[in-house]
Amino acid sequence: MRKSVLLISGVGIGAGLLYALTRGTKQTGETGNGKGNGKTQPTNPASSNGANGREANVRSIDTGASMRPAHAEPVIDDLGTNQHDAAELLKTVRDAAFDSNDEKLALALGRPVEEIEAWTSGDGTIDGDVVMKARNLADKRGVEIQ
């Protein structure tokens, strides 16, 4: 009895894993010999769900990334802020709201002073969380930012 339960459980887990790994992809570029080009593409959610394509509209929102030049800096947030703009934003907030003091800005952002110094000098990589916090600080302290 115990062995048959374990065997059935193992088969069920294996089938579930197989389904999870192959779900949502299909081969494209099929040739007559049955070999594809190795590329996979997701299935069309509008044709597979019963919601008349409503879910597909949510999944297919274009962020405009394909419209940007290939040499452009990656953006940090939804407003199109890049690393240079984020560093300028931090400098503006630091100078106007925190008396040009890195320690005060670091305390307000909850980050080490070394990170603030690296970011404002252009050596560090600024993440979206910091930009969001800096924009909020500027708003709360009445600092005009672009």
Side-chain angles (χ1 to χ4, degrees), residues 24-144:
T25 60
K26 66 179 179 178
Q27 293 292 330
T28 59
E30 294 285 342
T31 60
N33 61 6
K35 295 180 182 176
N37 61 2
K39 296 180 182 176
T40 60
Q41 88 181 39
T43 59
N44 184 1
S47 64
S48 63
N49 67 11
N52 295 328
R54 286 179 289 185
E55 187 176 336
N57 291 338
V58 174
R59 291 183 183 174
S60 64
I61 295 174
D62 183 17
T63 59
S66 60
M67 302 294 284
R68 288 188 209 103
H71 63 278
E73 262 188 81
V75 296
I76 300 171
D77 61 3
D78 59 343
L79 299 175
T81 307
N82 60 26
Q83 289 293 316
H84 176 73
D85 296 338
E88 292 300 318
L89 171 70
L90 286 174
K91 289 176 191 176
T92 301
V93 171
R94 179 197 62 192
D95 295 345
F98 296 100
D99 302 323
S100 300
N101 190 327
D102 286 337
E103 290 85 15
K104 290 180 183 179
L105 179 61
L107 181 64
L109 292 174
R111 299 292 183 112
V113 177
E114 294 80 20
E115 275 188 336
I116 303 299
E117 292 169 350
W119 292 337
T120 55
S121 68
D123 294 334
T125 302
I126 305 169
D127 59 31
D129 182 55
V130 171
V131 173
M132 179 184 68
K133 287 179 180 178
R135 288 186 192 281
N136 189 29
L137 284 171
D139 184 47
K140 297 292 183 194
R141 296 183 179 237
V143 176
E144 185 71 29

